[in-house]
């Protein structure tokens, strides 16, 4: 586990407000191996996008990293200055946002934006950069790339724009791509094209992907491992096949049961009662305890540690702790 | 009397998207029209859930708005329980209007933030003069109870509720005029999956209890499969296939339906290799001639490029495709 490309340890993100400090991400740890696709799922407000923003250093003030470490290939990046971070952003970590229209500048042609980005990170001539940009657009599947490169973003459809954004994220050959809901704004038929493209192109270049989405289906098809977030904490993390076919955390079980599928009939869906707590009202102990059917005393007293289940999986739930209740005090400290 | 509660025939809607008059004159351009819905026919039987699926721009919401009368139809007829909706006005129309309601996609936009929840739910009761005085607040309490909230919530404002709870309020409001028919336009698209499941369960329970009929509109095929008895698939404002709920998924007929099903990410991890989907939806202002789907269709024939296919019966319903006509019945 030492050769992780990205290693997030005990990350904590806080928002100071007039009524006290809200903890949006609380003690989140995970690794991404080189070339791996890690899916991050959760409902709105679970802290998915904030985790991505924290890694790439784009937390909006007053949000701030209040604890923990983020290491990129063993180098700490969470405490870098603005200038050093700017050099990593785009060069070593690429980013694909949800809405392709707002992540492109409407006043510049695609060529200008791509060439600028390429030349920021590589010392090459404009003509050379343009050649590279055309090749890149061609690779992401834009027909007649050499001609369309001089178009403005509004000339492209939603799916095509997202392809441009992917080209932009990949133009400096980053080691890690953070894709934050890359297909949410797109239609299903286009969504599958974009997912395939991200997966293919990252595999081709050996880039790791952190895929943030609320859509379990996308994760199932794309990711190698998945982290399930709830209230800013990791509920369960493990290989996709295990988490989807045999979820262990009661939240993951409920989440999987509440998704209607295309192949099975359900008279009723398994609904988790209630909703995710607001940040100022996260209960003591396990954040999921008010909605959990299997909660017991310990869940209300202490927050569960991520417990190893098998060699690649961790579940933060006391149900899976074999330790006698006497050890509870220790875990609490 | 037939058991069709809603009957839609040759429904068409186009929008004028021309430039202003002066620009047209200077640039010598003609008026431009966008055909959002073209020649759509379907029937909804009493007590069933009929779903319309399609990608953005396929005309789903336009049909919903025309069915409830928020938009006029350019051509075609909508019949509700034997009464033509076009041409009906005054007291008769008011009476019809009470019998159908709508649930909108975004519960943050569909509830007035300055009104108390009780007033929001009571509005249809007052508008149609159904109850008076204390009966109104009793009824509001009952409705809140029905949708899984408490009668005390009537005093609160919408901002005090989460998205799922707001959608419950919107459902209570839709139920308050005791309708028979509810148009649900993407009722769960703005909600998280665990909350979506609660709302879908609630809608099914209400249907069983009150014998409601739903027109359910969604882009999410798995949700539609869960909810609908019959499904219509829209592409560029044209109804390409209508089929029985589950059979649409096991035996898709139209090539577009097949493509759509192939594109849905698979949760079952069957390792199924998806066929790559070709192309994107064309511009509805200048749709391709003939069958609108032909530029993306794997089964395209020369005939598809010149002639628009008409609906033919299929084992599961009906579909508009020339490739299906050739098959022996």
């Amino acid at each position: 586990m030492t050769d992780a490309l990205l290693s997030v340890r005990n990350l904590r993100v806080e928002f100071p407000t007039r009524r006290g400090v809200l903890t949006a991400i609380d003690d989140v740890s995970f690794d991404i191996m080189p070339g791996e696709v890690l899916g991050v799922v959760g409902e709105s407000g679970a802290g998915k996008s904030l985790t991505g923003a924290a890694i790439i250093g784009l937390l909006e003030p007053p949000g701030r990293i209040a604890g923990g470490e983020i290491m990129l290939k063993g180098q700490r990046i969470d405490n870098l200055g603005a200038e050093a971070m700017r050099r990593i952003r785009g060069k070593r970590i690429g980013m694909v946002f949800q809405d392709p229209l707002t992540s492109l500048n409407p006043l510049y042609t695609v060529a200008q934006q791509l060439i600028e980005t390429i030349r920021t990170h590589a010392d090459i001539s404009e003509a050379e950069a343009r050649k590279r940009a055309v090749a890149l657009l061609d690779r992401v599947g834009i027909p007649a790339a050499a001609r369309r490169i001089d178009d403005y973003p509004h000339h492209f459809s939603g799916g095509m724009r997202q392809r441009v954004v992917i080209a932009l994220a990949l133009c400096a050959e980053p080691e890690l791509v953070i894709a934050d809901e890359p297909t949410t704004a797109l239609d299903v038929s286009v969504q599958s094209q974009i997912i395939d493209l991200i997966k293919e192109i990252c595999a081709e270049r050996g880039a790791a992907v952190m895929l943030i989405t609320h859509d379990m289906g996308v994760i199932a098809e794309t990711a190698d491992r998945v982290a399930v977030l709830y209230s800013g904490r990791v509920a369960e993390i493990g290989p996709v096949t295990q988490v989807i076919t045999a979820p262990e955390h009661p939240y993951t079980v409920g989440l999987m049961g509440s998704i209607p599928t295309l192949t099975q009939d359900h008279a009723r869906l398994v609904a988790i009662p209630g909703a995710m707590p607001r940040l100022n009202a996260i209960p003591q102990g396990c954040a999921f305890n008010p909605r959990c059917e299997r909660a017991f005393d310990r869940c209300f007293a202490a927050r569960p540690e991520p417990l190893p289940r098998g060699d690649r999986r961790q579940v933060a739930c006391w149900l899976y702790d074999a330790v006698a209740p006497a050890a509870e005090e220790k875990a609490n400290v | 009397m037939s058991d069709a509660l809603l009957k839609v025939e040759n429904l068409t809607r186009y929008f004028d998207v021309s430039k202003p008059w002066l620009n047209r004159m200077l640039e010598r351009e003609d008026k431009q029209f966008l055909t959002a819905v073209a020649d759509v026919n379907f029937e909804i039987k009493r007590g069933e859930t009929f779903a319309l699926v399609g990608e953005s721009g396929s005309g789903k919401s336009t049909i919903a708005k025309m069915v409830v009368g928020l938009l006029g139809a350019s051509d075609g007829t909508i019949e509700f329980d034997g009464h033509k909706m076009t041409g009906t006005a005054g007291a008769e129309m008011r009476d019809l209007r009470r019998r159908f309601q709508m649930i909108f996609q975004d519960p943050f936009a569909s509830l007035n933030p300055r009104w108390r929840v009780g007033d929001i739910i009571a509005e249809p009761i007052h508008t149609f003069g159904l109850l008076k005085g204390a009966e109104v607040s009793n009824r509001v309490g009952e409705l809140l109870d029905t949708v899984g909230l408490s009668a005390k919530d009537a005093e609160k404002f919408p901002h005090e509720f989460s998205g799922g709870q707001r959608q419950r309020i919107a459902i209570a409001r839709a139920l308050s005029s005791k309708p028979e028919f509810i148009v649900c336009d993407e009722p769960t698209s703005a909600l998280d999956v665990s909350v979506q499941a609660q709302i879908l369960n609630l809608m099914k329970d209400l249907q069983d209890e009150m014998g409601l009929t739903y027109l359910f509109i969604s882009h999410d095929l798995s949700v539609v499969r869960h909810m609908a008895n019959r499904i219509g698939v829209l592409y560029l404002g044209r109804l390409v296939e209508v089929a029985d709920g589950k059979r649409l998924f096991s035996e898709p007929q139209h090539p577009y339906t097949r493509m759509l099903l192939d594109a849905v990410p698979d949760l079952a991890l069957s390792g199924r290799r998806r066929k790559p989907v070709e192309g994107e939806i064309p511009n509805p202002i200048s749709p391709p001639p003939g069958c609108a789907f032909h530029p993306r269709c794997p089964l395209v024939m020369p005939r598809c490029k010149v002639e628009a296919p008409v609906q033919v019966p299929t084992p599961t319903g009906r579909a508009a495709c020339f490739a299906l006509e050739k098959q022996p019945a």
Side-chain angles (χ1 to χ4, degrees):
Chain A
M1 296 291 264
T2 45
D3 55 346
L5 172 69
L6 183 86
S7 178
V8 175
R9 287 281 159 267
N10 310 98
L11 180 69
R12 200 177 155 86
V13 172
E14 291 181 347
F15 284 83
T17 67
R18 269 183 292 174
R19 296 193 186 164
V21 175
L22 299 179
T23 308
I25 295 177
D26 194 357
D27 207 9
V28 164
S29 302
F30 59 87
D31 288 318
I32 303 181
M33 298 295 146
E36 183 185 50
V37 181
L38 176 77
V40 177
V41 276
E43 299 179 75
S44 28
K48 312 183 290 289
S49 296
L50 274 179
T51 309
I55 291 170
I56 202 167
L58 288 178
L59 274 182
E60 297 221 3
R64 57 162 194 237
I65 296 178
E69 290 182 352
I70 302 169
M71 319 266 276
L72 184 65
K73 276 209 177 146
Q75 182 203 352
R76 231 180 126 173
I77 59 168
D78 56 299
N79 54 1
L80 290 178
E83 181 54 29
M85 197 59 217
R86 194 181 66 82
R87 251 177 266 133
I88 287 182
R89 204 183 294 136
K91 173 74 189 150
R92 300 185 60 193
I93 307 179
M95 184 96 192
V96 178
F97 294 96
Q98 173 171 352
D99 184 355
L101 190 56
T102 47
S103 44
L104 294 171
N105 190 331
L107 299 178
Y108 290 96
T109 64
V110 166
Q112 287 168 319
Q113 301 186 43
L114 274 170
I115 291 169
E116 184 195 349
T117 314
I118 292 172
R119 293 192 70 198
T120 307
H121 299 295
D123 188 20
I124 53 175
S125 73
E126 176 139 4
E128 189 69 22
R130 189 182 165 90
K131 218 181 279 168
R132 215 188 265 189
V134 171
L136 208 54
L137 283 186
D138 196 48
R139 177 62 196 89
V140 297
I142 291 184
R147 190 166 50 79
R148 299 226 55 191
I149 192 168
D150 290 310
D151 283 348
Y152 286 91
H154 74 262
H155 289 129
F156 292 87
S157 67
M160 285 295 157
R161 257 180 235 144
Q162 198 60 297
R163 288 170 193 267
V164 172
V165 174
I166 291 171
L168 211 49
L170 288 168
C171 68
E173 312 240 321
E175 297 148 62
L176 173 69
V177 174
I178 299 178
D180 188 358
E181 305 264 8
T183 59
T184 309
L186 307 173
D187 280 314
V188 243
S189 68
V190 181
Q191 166 179 305
S192 59
Q193 300 170 358
I194 297 294
I195 293 172
D196 286 350
L197 178 67
I198 292 179
K199 203 176 172 176
E200 252 174 57
I201 207 163
C202 291
E204 193 178 288
R205 284 155 198 251
V209 183
M210 176 171 160
L211 178 69
I212 299 169
T213 177
H214 66 276
D215 189 335
M216 266 299 194
V218 170
I219 295 278
E221 292 231 327
T222 320
D224 303 312
R225 284 191 309 135
V226 58
V228 181
L229 292 191
Y230 185 80
S231 283
R233 304 164 184 195
V234 177
E236 180 161 0
I237 182 165
V240 164
T241 38
Q242 290 180 21
V243 174
I244 285 182
T245 52
E248 289 194 332
H249 195 286
Y251 173 64
T252 324
V253 175
L255 194 65
M256 294 309 301
S258 62
I259 305 170
T261 64
L262 284 178
T263 43
Q264 281 168 302
D265 293 332
H266 316 260
R268 284 177 71 82
L269 297 169
V270 186
I272 312 174
M276 201 161 63
R278 294 184 183 190
L279 288 181
N280 55 8
I282 293 178
Q284 226 213 322
C286 175
F288 188 58
N289 68 36
R291 301 174 76 187
C292 185
E293 281 178 353
R294 302 175 66 187
F296 58 108
D297 352 334
R298 197 171 172 192
C299 307
F300 297 94
R303 178 178 162 184
E305 298 284 308
L307 302 165
R309 303 276 299 158
D311 53 343
R312 296 183 63 203
R313 191 172 186 185
Q314 289 184 328
V315 179
C317 179
W318 288 131
L319 284 174
Y320 300 99
D321 191 15
V323 187
E328 198 177 318
E329 297 304 316
K330 227 181 268 173
N332 215 345
V333 175
Chain B
M1 198 178 88
S2 80
D3 57 350
L5 184 63
L6 186 90
K7 207 167 162 186
V8 169
E9 277 179 344
N10 305 93
L11 189 66
T12 301
R13 170 76 205 200
Y14 41 84
F15 294 100
D16 188 345
V17 290
S18 319
K19 290 180 180 167
W21 176 82
L22 187 62
N23 294 51
R24 281 208 312 275
M25 291 300 125
L26 293 172
E27 293 161 25
R28 292 171 194 281
E29 279 181 14
D30 287 331
K31 278 202 158 191
Q32 276 194 320
F33 293 96
L34 182 154
T35 308
V37 176
D39 211 11
V40 165
N41 296 284
F42 61 88
E43 271 185 17
I44 305 179
K45 295 192 192 71
R46 215 175 275 279
E48 79 168 351
T49 302
F50 181 79
L52 286 173
V53 278
E55 300 179 86
S56 37
S58 61
K60 308 182 294 288
S61 295
T62 310
I63 292 179
K65 284 180 186 159
M66 284 193 284
V67 167
V68 294
L70 289 173
L71 263 180
S74 304
D75 198 9
T77 55
I78 301 169
E79 251 181 65
F80 182 77
D81 201 16
H83 302 272
K84 278 222 167 55
M85 302 242 296
T86 34
T88 310
E92 202 186 335
M93 188 63 200
R94 252 179 100 74
D95 197 44
L96 276 186
R97 282 245 162 102
R98 185 196 62 75
R99 298 171 57 192
F100 53 83
Q101 288 288 340
M102 184 156 178
I103 301 168
F104 295 91
Q105 172 171 358
D106 184 357
F108 291 83
S110 66
L111 304 177
N112 188 333
R114 292 163 187 273
W115 282 27
R116 289 183 194 275
V117 166
D119 297 328
I120 292 174
I121 297 173
E123 193 184 15
I125 301 178
H126 290 303
T127 309
F128 293 110
L130 300 176
L131 297 169
K132 282 204 178 69
E135 287 178 323
V136 177
S137 53
N138 286 342
R139 174 84 181 126
V140 168
E142 267 172 47
L143 285 164
L144 281 168
D145 207 41
T146 315
V147 298
L149 296 171
S150 106
K152 280 179 288 179
D153 291 331
E155 291 305 308
K156 296 185 184 163
F157 285 97
H159 71 85
E160 295 173 62
F161 296 91
S162 68
Q165 289 171 320
R166 284 183 210 213
Q167 203 58 299
R168 289 175 191 266
I169 295 169
I171 292 172
R173 173 178 61 185
L175 293 175
S176 69
S177 70
K178 299 200 172 163
E180 294 147 53
F181 177 59
I182 299 182
V183 176
C184 320
D185 188 2
E186 305 255 14
T188 59
S189 305
L191 307 176
D192 278 315
V193 267
S194 73
V195 180
Q196 163 174 293
Q198 297 170 6
I199 298 295
L200 294 180
N201 284 342
L202 173 67
M203 289 178 63
K204 274 203 156 181
D205 293 346
L206 292 173
Q207 182 170 40
D208 292 343
E209 274 166 43
M210 307 182 183
L212 295 168
T213 307
Y214 290 136
L215 170 59
F216 190 93
I217 288 172
S218 179
H219 67 279
D220 186 333
L221 285 163
S222 47
V223 168
V224 161
R225 183 181 188 275
H226 179 68
M227 292 297 287
N229 304 103
R230 283 191 312 129
I231 299 170
V233 182
L234 286 166
Y235 184 74
L236 269 182
R238 290 145 182 92
L239 200 55
V240 295
E241 178 167 359
V242 179
D244 292 337
K246 309 278 185 265
R247 293 185 73 187
L248 180 84
F249 295 88
S250 52
E251 305 154 57
Q253 303 290 319
H254 196 281
Y256 175 65
T257 316
R258 279 184 232 164
M259 191 196 86
L260 210 55
L261 288 178
D262 267 352
V264 178
D266 186 8
L267 203 56
L269 289 168
S270 57
R272 150 187 82 120
R273 189 63 219 138
R274 282 191 267 108
K275 266 190 235 105
V277 177
E278 299 290 327
E280 296 182 25
I281 300 187
N283 183 352
I285 296 176
S286 49
C291 173
F293 185 59
H294 84 251
R296 300 172 79 185
C297 183
L299 307 174
V300 63
M301 300 180 282
R303 191 178 169 195
C304 305
K305 296 177 184 166
V306 286
E307 205 181 326
V310 289
Q311 301 244 339
V312 291
T314 62
T316 57
R318 56 195 164 88
C321 180
F322 290 126
L324 296 173
E325 271 178 26
K326 284 204 288 192
Q327 291 169 359

